Amino acid sequence: MGIMKLTPAMRQYLDVKEQYKDCIIFFRMGDFYEMFFEDAVTASRVLEITLTSRNKGKKDSIPLCGFPHHAASIYISKLIDSGYKVAICEQVEDPKEAKGIVKREVVRIVTPGLVADSEN
């Protein structure tokens, strides 16, 4: 797939993935965390959530899965328990004030070796 066909958000996702190749990226899209490409295939299997796609049915479709952001701790735990690392990529500016694509940054990385309760 040529990078020119990707939306700005997908290019942004791939830039983040390039920096965190060994993590499953939880990419914040509004009220959801979404995963794409190989991350979506892996996460859908491990988390037992539906795998769908962007541009469904077309040859340039991109595997996709996701869940509401408020459920993240449950899904992080499942992935960590299965030996995966998770990079949380948040929207770091208000989408209403963004000029162009919303700025996103990885704000946290959770690994199987990290034992912490972020709810406290």
Side-chain angles (χ1 to χ4, degrees):
M1 171 185 310
I3 195 130
M4 299 308 288
K5 290 185 177 183
L6 297 176
T7 65
M10 287 297 91
R11 286 195 299 269
Q12 188 181 51
Y13 173 86
L14 289 175
D15 287 345
V16 171
K17 184 64 179 176
E18 182 66 26
Q19 295 172 47
Y20 299 93
K21 291 178 184 174
D22 63 339
C23 296
I24 292 182
I25 308 297
F26 281 19
F27 195 72
R28 185 72 175 260
M29 302 282 280
D31 289 336
F32 289 82
Y33 283 116
E34 295 186 2
M35 289 137 288
F36 303 96
F37 302 102
E38 304 84 27
D39 284 357
V41 174
T42 299
S44 68
R45 178 180 42 79
V46 174
L47 301 175
E48 299 176 336
I49 58 178
T50 301
L51 179 66
T52 187
S53 64
R54 293 177 65 106
N55 301 326
K56 197 171 195 153
K58 297 187 176 156
K59 69 176 183 172
D60 63 347
S61 68
I62 298 170
L64 150 70
C65 69
F67 53 83
H69 71 92
H70 59 78
S73 61
I74 295 164
Y75 293 115
I76 290 170
S77 293
K78 282 185 173 185
L79 286 166
I80 298 308
D81 289 348
S82 296
Y84 294 94
K85 293 181 183 179
V86 176
I88 312 296
C89 186
E90 290 286 354
Q91 295 176 175
V92 293
E93 70 178 333
D94 185 335
K96 295 175 187 158
E97 297 175 10
K99 302 251 189 266
I101 189 161
V102 176
K103 186 176 179 187
R104 292 178 177 86
E105 294 176 1
V106 171
V107 297
R108 190 171 82 172
I109 296 172
V110 186
T111 66
L114 177 65
V115 179
D117 182 4
S118 63
E119 300 293 318
N120 290 333

